[in-house]
Structure formats: structure tokens, C-alpha cells
């Protein structure tokens, strides 16, 4: 039988969330009231077909809510004594529109996570079949409710009470052919639509609606069922990349995460609390999302669901504005235009360039400084406010359709600030409003970007948030290069948060001195080093993901104090927490660009003494290369590498000559420093970090022990007491990781 959404219109629906917290916070920290909770309650019970069957016989179990129930769905944990009952499968009632989804990952220890969705009102769930292994089995059954759903409109929040003991219902029957219905089974049963191939689920698509998880323009029961699959851990949040597989391409993050509604906004810029943000500030895929979507599919209007997602206009943005002169007055670039940069464009003369969320900027190849294509430079007297949103990231890319050789198509973005360096002449100028003092170190930036450096470590160059920089960077010579994002002498007053640099020709991100702090970085497929610093950078960083191009990437982290004077001051002593670094599927492979095919994870040298905690480093030819005696002074206190996991690397030690004695005489000794709490494992602890199309960087169960607690200094998130850039995947898989929905993957499995 196939479900027909039109036949369900007679039902009325509403969603209920069990146990919401009292308040919610938006990203700025403002307190926002959650939806008002209902005082309604729903009684539930556990029913069994028989309470005294002999060993080897089959017993049917169901969750019941009464003969006149208006319950639309329930989600929770069915628990039992695994020494008395063995799970055998589930049964679908003929002619029923009910969907029963089961997560059996913990069944061996007596736990089934389930979700029931019933547009006709659930009097009882479909049956779950067990084999009896021992007497007294009925008394061991219990059901812990996570969420409950009742019909009606608008939405209502309800609490479900479960009777403490199971009751016998002899009308239940257990069949020997019971089995778990898989995602493919449900796809067939629910008349899956043919979906077109879409490269990057979660990215901007014209006309995409909230609730349309498979991008076909319609909201149906299949969209709701997919969301319920995700909510109990049966599906990943973003799946597919080419329209294949049992469900094609699906997106639970942008399109599917609709509840709570948090009206009146839809997540556009300025919305105090976007749809899908829970009362505690997290984003979670839950039963409420699925029920809200099915409400809309049967023509019961819901807030948010069915509305166009901000940044997804029905008419593609086609108006193109050519930018060929510097920005010298306050200027705003809007998301109704595409801005094509021709040449090196500098924001200067005290001007601020404001870029609206969802705006696309494209650099023209071959029109910029030298042969490096266009570039965007922010001078010491200029500012940039590029403040995107999770639904509307700002995209800075290249003109034209990406090809296999698109790296370095344009020159990227360089920000020049007034903070301190450990190199350069003592000639920095006074700049009104930016640098009250002069006479500190300054120097000319690479790529003809302009001068940087000064006396103001609190300098504010603006905001770069929810921004993607693609196919940028250029290499004029070995010592004169443009990067995806270069931060030169940038001060700690600048905000750099939620930034992806993808497929750059040189480094992903590089700091040349300064004090800028960084958070939530995704550095993918960059040709040279992913995270690079020099000239005395002294900032803080938390939450970094590095994923190499196996055929064309150098180091994950390449870190210097200063190349030509290893003890130059201020010394580079940054503090970094919570990093995930991923090399290549086969660390022993020599395919790709010689000496640039994902060479290694760390190269720490030239006198820098960083403090690194909670790193997860996997699949590199070598994990660590430490060079130069000045680097290892006070190793373990001034230079720290602790509370980290090194997994599936070909070697820990770079095995080069001249290892500093101060670090134990070899990199392997350094990693295994006594008291560092570092762990070395043989297998990857991540779910699917080597997938370049739709990666999952979350650790699997039980791999994040031994983490350090970040400092409570107003910058670090002290709750990130785990190893790596994202938390361990829970049994639910329903908490949306911070990188999901606004970042992008490769064009295909061979082309970034």
C-alpha cells in the first residue's frame, strides 16, 4: 500500500514538545520567550498480547492512548529486560496511515527508540514483536516519553503520562514474519517522488520552502517521515549528493528544521529567534518538525512551513554590478545583486563596506593585482561588515562555472589592521579613530594589498560572519601570495566567526601578527596550509574543522613565530581549543601533487609556543613535525599540546632531522608527553569525515573522553568539554552541528 497525502485532509494536527525550557537565547544573547506551554495531558499505557507466555513464544507489544484518542504521534524509549525479551521486528496494520519508526542500535541492552506518526489519531501504535526468553517479562516494560503530538490547530504543547504497569490486550497478535522496516522500505511504501540531482543539500536554492526536504516543490507525508527518521537517528540530516539512494537528496537542516516556529520571523537578518531554534538556543531535529510539515501537507496552515526560506527568492538573482574602483565612502552591497570584482578593490578612506546576508560577490579571473584575478582588500582605515546568517551566508567566489582547475581563480579577501607585529619598521602612522598612537611596527602585505600593523591590539576592522570564501588565493612567488582569507595585523575588536574557506590555491586562512580571535572555521580542500600564522599572532581560536584535498594540500596547521628571528617579540603564543583535522583516506598514498598531497597535520616551528587542547587529528602521513630549538623552550607549560586524539595516522613522528631536544627529542615523544592525556588510536573515531560531498565530522560514541575545559574568559565556550570541533554524536543524531547548512562540499567526488 502507498500513502496518499490527499486522503489525509480529514485529519487535524498539532505539535507538542515535551519538557521545553523556560527561556531561549538568540545569537546575540538576548532572552526570548519560547512558545507558551499547554497544561493538557495525555494518558498512555503499554499493552501486551499475553503476560504469561512460555519461553520461545512471540509476544506483541504496543503503546496505547485510548479508543477515542486525538493523539497524532509520540516519540520516546521503550525499555525492557533483554534477558527476558528478544526483539524480533515490527508489524504494519493493513490499511493504516500510521508510521512506526524504530532505532534498534541499543536493542541488545534492552532499549528501542521509537516514533509514531498517525494522521488519523493514534489509539495504539502498530505492534512490536518480541520473543519470550524468561518469565515476568511484562513487568520489565516501560516507556519514557520525549515528545507527544495531539491533533488540532494551532500547535499545542502537551505532556504524556504513562501507566506504570503493562496491561494485557488479547486482540494484539504477534506474527513470525515481523521485521524492522528500513528507510528503503518506507521510501517504497510512501510513494517516493523522483528527485533531481542536486549537488549541495543545505545551500541556497531559488524558491525553496520550509518543509520541502527533497526540493521537489511539494510538502508531503514523505517529507515528514524523513524528518522523523532523522529525529530518532535512522537518517543523517543531510544525505545524498547526486540524487541516488533510497531517498535521493534530502535536507533536514535548512528545509526541515521548522519547529519551534518562533514567529513572527522566518530567520531573515534581524530576526531575534529563527525557526527551529530550541528554548536553550540549540537547533534540534525533533518530532515537532515532522508533525508541523504533515499539518501543512494536509492543508492545515502552519506558521513557517510552506513559506519561502529567506535568501531563496523565486526569481534567481541576475542583476550584476561591476565593481572596478575602490570603496572610499560608506557603501552597502545588497543581496538583490551579484557584485563582480574587476581588479584589486580596496576599502579605504575611513569607509565601511556593508554586505547584506545572502549576497554573492564574484571575482573576475585575470583582472586583479598581477595575474591573480580580482581581490578584496580592507585597508587599515577601512572596515567591512559582512554579517551573514545561517540561512543566508555571504558567498565570495569566482566568476564562471567551477572546473577542476578553479583553485586560485581570484585573489580572495585580505584585511589589514592596526595591531602589533614582531617584524617591520617602527613607522606605523596615527589613523583617526583606529590608531591613536604611531611609531609601532608596520610592513607591506603580500599581494600588493597595502600596509598593515600598528600600536592598537584592540583594533576593530569589522565583522566577517557566516561567510564562504571559495576558489581564492594566488601565488606570485614562493614568498608573495594571496590566501583565501588573510588577516594582517588585525585586532581583537574584529569579529571572525562561522567562516568557510574552500578550495583556495594557497593557505585557507593566515594570520600575519595581530591579536584577532577566531571561531567556527571550516577549511576544506585548500592547496597549501589550512591554518597558518606568523609574525607574532596572539589570538584565540575555538572550533576549527580542517579537511584536506588528498591530492593537493600541504599541512593542516603550519605555525611560526617569525621566519628570520625565532625569538622576535611579541612571540606568537596563541591559545586554540576544539579542532578536527582530517587528512586523506589512505595516508600512505603518494598520488597527487608531489610533496603537496596532504603532507602532514602539524608543522610547529620558528619559535612559536602555542597552547593546543582538544584536537582530533586523523589520517595524515605524519601527525606532528616540531622544528627549531626556540620552539621547545618550556615545553609542556609554555608550549602545550594536550588532551587530544591522534587516530589512523601513518606515523606520529615526521622523522626529519634536527628535532628539538626540548620537546623530548622527537615528535612522537612530544605527542605522548607524560600528563598530556593525549590518546593514540588505530581507527577513525569520526562518523564520515572523509566524505568530501556531505561529511559528518562528529565523533562516534565514546571517543571524546579526556578533554580539557576551555578557559572561562568571555571568549571560549566552556561547555565544549569534548575532543574535536563538534560534540560526540548522541544516540539521537538530532542535534544539528554548527557547520551544517551554511557550508558547502565538493562539486563531485574528484573536484573541489
Amino acid at each position: 500500500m502507498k500513502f496518499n497525502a490527499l486522503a489525509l485532509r480529514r485529519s487535524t494536527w498539532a505539535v507538542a514538545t515535551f519538557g521545553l525550557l523556560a527561556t531561549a537565547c538568540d545569537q546575540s544573547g538576548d532572552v526570548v520567550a519560547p512558545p507558551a506551554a499547554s497544561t493538557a495531558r495525555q494518558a498512555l499505557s503499554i499493552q501486551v498480547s499475553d503476560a504469561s507466555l512460555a519461553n520461545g513464544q512471540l509476544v506483541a507489544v504496543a503503546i496505547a492512548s485510548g479508543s477515542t484518542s486525538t493523539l497524532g504521534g509520540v516519540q520516546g524509549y521503550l525499555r525492557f529486560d533483554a534477558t527476558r525479551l528478544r526483539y524480533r521486528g515490527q508489524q504494519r496494520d493493513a490499511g493504516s496511515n500510521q508510521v512506526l519508526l524504530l532505532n534498534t542500535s541499543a536493542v541488545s541492552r534492552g532499549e528501542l527508540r521509537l516514533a509514531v506518526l498517525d494522521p488519523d489519531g493514534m489509539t495504539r501504535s502498530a505492534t512490536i514483536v518480541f520473543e519470550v526468553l524468561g518469565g515476568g517479562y511484562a513487568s520489565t516494560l516501560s516507556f519514557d516519553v520525549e515528545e507527544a503530538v495531539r491533533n488540532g490547530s494551532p500547535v499545542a504543547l502537551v505532556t504524556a503520562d504513562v501507566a506504570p504497569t503493562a496491561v494485557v490486550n488479547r486482540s494484539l497478535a504477534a506474527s513470525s514474519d515481523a521485521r524492522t522496516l528500513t528507510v528503503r522500505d518506507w521510501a517504497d511504501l510512501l510513494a517516493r517522488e523522483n528527485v533531481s540531482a542536486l549537488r549541495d543539500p543545505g545551500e541556497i536554492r531559488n524558491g525553496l520552502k520550509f518543509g520541502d526536504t527533497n526540493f521537489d516543490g511539494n510538502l508531503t507525508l514523505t517529507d515528514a517521515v524523513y524528518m522523523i527518521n532523522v529525529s530518532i537517528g535512522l537518517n543523517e540530516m543531510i544525505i545524498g549528493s547526486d540524487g541516488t539512494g533510497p531517498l535521493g537528496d534530502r535536507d533536514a537542516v535548512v528545509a526541515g528544521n521548522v519547529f519551534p516556529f518562533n514567529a513572527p520571523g522566518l530567520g531573515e537578518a534581524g530576526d531575534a529567534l529563527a525557526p527551529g531554534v530550541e528554548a536553550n538556543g540549540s537547533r534540534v531535529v525533533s518530532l515537532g518538525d515532522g508533525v508541523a510539515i504533515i499539518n501543512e501537507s494536509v492543508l492545515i496552515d502552519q506558521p513557517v512551513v510552506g513559506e519561502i526560506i529567506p535568501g531563496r527568492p523565486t526569481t534567481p538573482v541576475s542583476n550584476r554590478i561591476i565593481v572596478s574602483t575602490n570603496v572610499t565612502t560608506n557603501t552597502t552591497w545588497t543581496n538583490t545583486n551579484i557584485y563582480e570584482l574587476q581588479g584589486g578593490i580596496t576599502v579605504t578612506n575611513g569607509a565601511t563596506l556593508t554586505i547584506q546576508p545572502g549576497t554573492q560577490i564574484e571575482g573576475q579571473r585575470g583582472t586583479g593585482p598581477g595575474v591573480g584575478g580580482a581581490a578584496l582588500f580592507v585597508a587599515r582605515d577601512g572596515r567591512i561588515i559582512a554579517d551573514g546568517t545561517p540561512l543566508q551566508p555571504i558567498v565570495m567566489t569566482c566568476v564562471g562555472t567551477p572546473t577542476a582547475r578553479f583553485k586560485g581563480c581570484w585573489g580572495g579577501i585580505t584585511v589589514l589592521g592596526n595591531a602589533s607585529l614582531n617584524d617591520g619598521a617602527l613607522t606605523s602612522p596615527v589613523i583617526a579613530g583606529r590608531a591613536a598612537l604611531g611609531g609601532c611596527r608596520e610592513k607591506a602585505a603580500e599581494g600588493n594589498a597595502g600596509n598593515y600593523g600598528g600600536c592598537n591590539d584592540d583594533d576593530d576592522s569589522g565583522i566577517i560572519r557566516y561567510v564562504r570564501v571559495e576558489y581564492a588565493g594566488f601565488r606570485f612567488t614562493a614568498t608573495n601570495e594571496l590566501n583565501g582569507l588573510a588577516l594582517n595585523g588585525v585586532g581583537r575588536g574584529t569579529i571572525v566567526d562561522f567562516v568557510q574557506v574552500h578550495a583556495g590555491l594557497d593557505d585557507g586562512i593566515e594570520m600575519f601578527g595581530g591579536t584577532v580571535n577566531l571561531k567556527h572555521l571550516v577549511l576544506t580542500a585548500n592547496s597549501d596550509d589550512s591554518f597558518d600564522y606568523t609574525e607574532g599572532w596572539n589570538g584565540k581560536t575555538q572550533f576549527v574543522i580542517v579537511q584536506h584535498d588528498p591530492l593537493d594540500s600541504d599541512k593542516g596547521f603550519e605555525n611560526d613565530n617569525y621566519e628570520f628571528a625565532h625569538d622576535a617579540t611579541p612571540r606568537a603564543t596563541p591559545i586554540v581549543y576544539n579542532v578536527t583535522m582530517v587528512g586523506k583516506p589512505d595516508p600512505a598514498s603518494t598520488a597527487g601533487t608531489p610533496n603537496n598531497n596532504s603532507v602532514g597535520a602539524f608543522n610547529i616551528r620558528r619559535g612559536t609556543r602555542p597552547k593546543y587542547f582538544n584536537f582530533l587529528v586523523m589520517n595524515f602521513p605524519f601527525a606532528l613535525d616540531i622544528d627549531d630549538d626556540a620552539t621547545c623552550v618550556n615545553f609542556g607549560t609554555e608550549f602545550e599540546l594536550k588532551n587530544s586524539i591522534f587516530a589512523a595516522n601513518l606515523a606520529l613522528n615526521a622523522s626529519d632531522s634536527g628535532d628539538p631536544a626540548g620537546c623530548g627529542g622527537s615528535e612522537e615523544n612530544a605527542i605522548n608527553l607524560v600528563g598530556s592525556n593525549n590518546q593514540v588510536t588505530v581507527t577513525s573515531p569520526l562518523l564520515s569525515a572523509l566524505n568530501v560531498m556531505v561529511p559528518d565530522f562528529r565523533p562516534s560514541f565514546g571517543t571524546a573522553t579526556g578533554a580539557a575545559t576551555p578557559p572561562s574568559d568571555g571568549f571560549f565556550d566552556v561547555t565544549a568539554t569534548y575532543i574535536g570541533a563538534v560534540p560526540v554524536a548522541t544516540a539521537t543524531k538530532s542535534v544539528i552541528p554548527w557547520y551544517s547548512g551554511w557550508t558547502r562540499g565538493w562539486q563531485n567526488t574528484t573536484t573541489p
Side-chain angles (χ1 to χ4, degrees):
M1 175 184 176
K2 295 182 178 180
F3 288 88
N4 185 340
L6 296 179
L8 305 181
R9 292 180 182 174
R10 64 185 182 276
S11 301
T12 55
W13 284 62
V15 63
T17 302
F18 180 74
L20 284 180
L21 301 180
T23 59
C25 294
D26 70 4
Q27 290 178 353
S28 65
D30 296 329
V31 176
V32 182
S38 168
T39 58
R41 307 188 77 86
Q42 173 68 54
L44 298 176
S45 63
I46 302 171
Q47 295 185 349
V48 295
S49 58
D50 198 311
S52 56
L53 294 172
N55 291 1
Q57 292 186 291
L58 299 180
V59 61
V61 177
I63 307 299
S65 58
S67 58
T68 59
S69 172
T70 57
L71 189 68
V74 66
Q75 178 173 310
Y77 292 90
L78 178 64
R79 295 189 169 94
F80 56 93
D81 185 344
T83 67
R84 305 189 200 190
L85 289 173
R86 177 186 293 131
Y87 169 73
R88 290 286 298 268
Q90 66 187 101
Q91 298 172 182
R92 272 189 82 238
D93 295 338
S96 171
N97 283 330
Q98 185 183 111
V99 176
L100 171 62
L101 298 167
L102 299 175
N103 185 334
T104 62
S105 62
V107 72
S108 62
R109 59 175 185 264
E111 180 179 285
L112 278 171
R113 192 159 191 245
L114 64 84
V116 181
L117 191 66
D118 197 328
D120 299 318
M122 186 193 102
T123 56
R124 68 167 177 80
S125 70
T127 54
I128 304 170
V129 178
F130 293 88
E131 178 185 350
V132 175
L133 302 179
Y137 53 85
S139 65
T140 73
L141 289 163
S142 66
F143 184 60
D144 293 336
V145 179
E146 292 180 285
E147 287 187 350
V149 177
R150 295 180 70 180
N151 57 1
S153 181
V155 296
L157 306 182
V158 301
T159 298
D161 301 310
V162 184
T165 57
V167 297
V168 174
N169 180 353
R170 298 195 184 279
S171 68
L172 296 178
S175 171
S176 60
D177 61 0
R179 65 185 179 89
T180 301
L181 293 176
T182 66
V183 174
R184 184 177 293 276
D185 293 329
W186 285 114
D188 294 339
L189 290 167
L190 300 177
R192 174 175 65 90
E193 304 89 353
N194 293 321
V195 298
S196 60
L198 294 165
R199 178 171 59 87
D200 294 308
E203 288 196 42
I204 293 175
R205 287 186 186 80
N206 295 318
L208 181 61
K209 300 174 182 177
F210 281 113
D212 183 13
T213 67
N214 67 343
F215 325 114
D216 71 343
N218 302 307
L219 275 68
T220 67
L221 182 61
T222 60
D223 293 307
V225 170
Y226 169 68
M227 295 303 295
I228 304 303
N229 270 283
V230 175
S231 76
I232 64 170
L234 292 175
N235 269 356
E236 294 294 336
M237 293 174 195
I238 294 181
I239 61 173
S241 57
D242 56 3
T244 62
L247 289 177
D249 293 327
R250 292 277 181 165
D251 176 14
V253 173
V254 172
N257 183 30
V258 296
F259 184 83
F261 300 137
N262 300 326
L266 292 175
E268 59 270 70
D271 186 5
L273 194 62
V277 178
E278 304 294 318
N280 64 357
S282 66
R283 295 188 299 153
V284 178
V285 174
S286 69
L287 182 67
D289 297 306
V291 175
I293 293 170
I294 196 62
N295 264 281
E296 190 78 19
S297 77
V298 297
L299 306 185
I300 300 173
D301 186 53
Q302 301 293 307
V304 177
V305 190
E307 302 295 330
I308 298 293
I309 299 172
R312 279 73 173 174
T314 53
T315 303
V317 176
S318 58
N319 189 46
R320 184 173 292 270
I321 293 179
I322 304 300
V323 181
S324 57
T325 59
N326 291 341
V327 177
T328 57
T329 60
N330 292 344
T331 301
T332 298
W333 292 350
T334 69
N335 54 28
T336 55
N337 301 309
I338 296 171
Y339 294 85
E340 180 178 316
L341 308 184
Q342 294 188 353
I345 306 301
T346 300
V347 182
T348 188
N349 196 44
T352 296
L353 171 62
T354 301
I355 304 174
Q356 286 186 345
T359 303
Q360 180 145 320
I361 296 99
E362 298 182 356
Q364 181 58 261
R365 182 190 297 269
T367 61
V371 292
L376 181 61
F377 304 138
V378 181
R380 286 184 292 187
D381 63 348
R383 280 195 176 93
I384 182 170
I385 306 296
D387 201 2
T389 72
L391 293 178
Q392 295 180 272
I394 294 166
V395 178
M396 298 182 175
T397 189
C398 188
V399 174
T401 303
T403 65
R405 303 182 64 84
F406 231 53
K407 289 186 179 183
C409 179
W410 70 296
I413 177 170
T414 298
V415 182
L416 307 165
N418 296 281
S420 57
L421 318 174
N422 64 17
D423 179 46
L426 298 171
T427 56
S428 70
V430 172
I431 299 177
R434 296 292 293 277
L437 300 176
C440 293
R441 294 190 182 278
E442 68 167 347
K443 62 185 298 186
E446 296 178 17
N448 302 318
N451 290 342
Y452 65 98
C455 304
N456 182 11
D457 282 348
D458 295 320
D459 189 31
D460 177 4
S461 294
I463 300 172
I464 300 176
R465 182 161 49 197
Y466 285 109
V467 172
R468 288 207 317 266
V469 181
E470 306 172 355
Y471 307 112
F474 190 77
R475 197 168 296 152
F476 300 97
T477 69
T479 58
N480 186 13
E481 302 157 327
L482 291 172
N483 301 287
L485 175 60
L487 301 171
N488 296 54
V490 174
R492 63 173 66 96
T494 309
I495 295 173
V496 179
D497 199 4
F498 295 101
V499 174
Q500 181 182 18
V501 183
H502 177 72
L505 181 65
D506 199 61
D507 299 326
I509 187 168
E510 183 167 7
M511 283 67 69
F512 296 84
T515 55
V516 63
N517 299 324
L518 315 165
K519 254 185 183 176
H520 300 106
L521 307 178
V522 179
L523 309 172
T524 49
N526 294 292
S527 180
D528 197 20
D529 309 310
S530 299
F531 186 93
D532 198 348
Y533 68 77
T534 185
E535 296 180 4
W537 172 62
N538 273 292
K540 304 171 185 177
T541 299
Q542 189 176 26
F543 308 123
V544 181
I545 293 171
V546 169
Q547 186 192 56
H548 267 185
D549 178 343
L551 304 180
D552 185 31
S553 287
D554 194 12
K555 311 292 195 321
F557 272 44
E558 183 174 85
N559 309 147
D560 301 353
N561 181 45
Y562 179 50
E563 179 179 3
F564 300 111
H566 297 175
D567 287 314
T569 58
R571 187 183 300 276
T573 57
I575 305 173
V576 182
Y577 276 78
N578 300 101
V579 176
T580 294
M581 286 201 282
V582 181
K584 53 186 175 181
D586 179 7
S589 171
T590 57
T593 306
N595 300 315
N596 206 68
N597 47 9
S598 187
V599 176
F602 291 98
N603 191 3
I604 304 173
R605 61 188 187 177
R606 296 171 176 169
T608 183
R609 299 172 193 165
K611 295 180 182 293
Y612 288 156
F613 300 91
N614 299 347
F615 277 61
L616 199 159
V617 181
M618 58 174 276
N619 283 73
F620 286 93
F622 66 80
L624 186 65
D625 184 7
I626 302 176
D627 295 321
D628 308 308
D629 289 338
T631 307
C632 284
V633 175
N634 298 324
F635 183 62
T637 56
E638 189 172 347
F639 171 11
E640 299 180 77
L641 175 56
K642 298 181 178 179
N643 303 92
S644 298
I645 293 175
F646 298 86
N649 299 291
L650 191 63
L652 298 179
N653 193 340
S655 299
D656 57 352
S657 60
D659 292 332
C663 286
S666 75
E667 285 83 22
E668 186 165 352
N669 288 339
I671 289 177
N672 292 297
L673 184 70
V674 175
S676 68
N677 299 319
N678 291 333
Q679 306 169 36
V680 177
T681 66
V682 226
T683 57
S684 168
L686 300 184
L687 290 174
S688 60
L690 293 167
N691 183 329
V692 294
M693 300 292 293
V694 191
D696 193 334
F697 294 107
R698 292 172 296 170
S700 54
F701 306 109
T703 59
T705 58
T709 300
S712 179
D713 63 357
F715 171 78
F716 288 104
D717 179 353
V718 298
T719 68
T721 54
Y722 48 82
I723 294 175
V726 289
V728 167
T730 65
T732 71
K733 294 188 179 180
S734 60
V735 178
I736 298 173
W738 57 264
Y739 62 84
S740 191
W742 60 275
T743 59
R744 56 156 295 167
W746 287 29
Q747 299 174 59
N748 53 57
T749 55
T750 59
T751 306

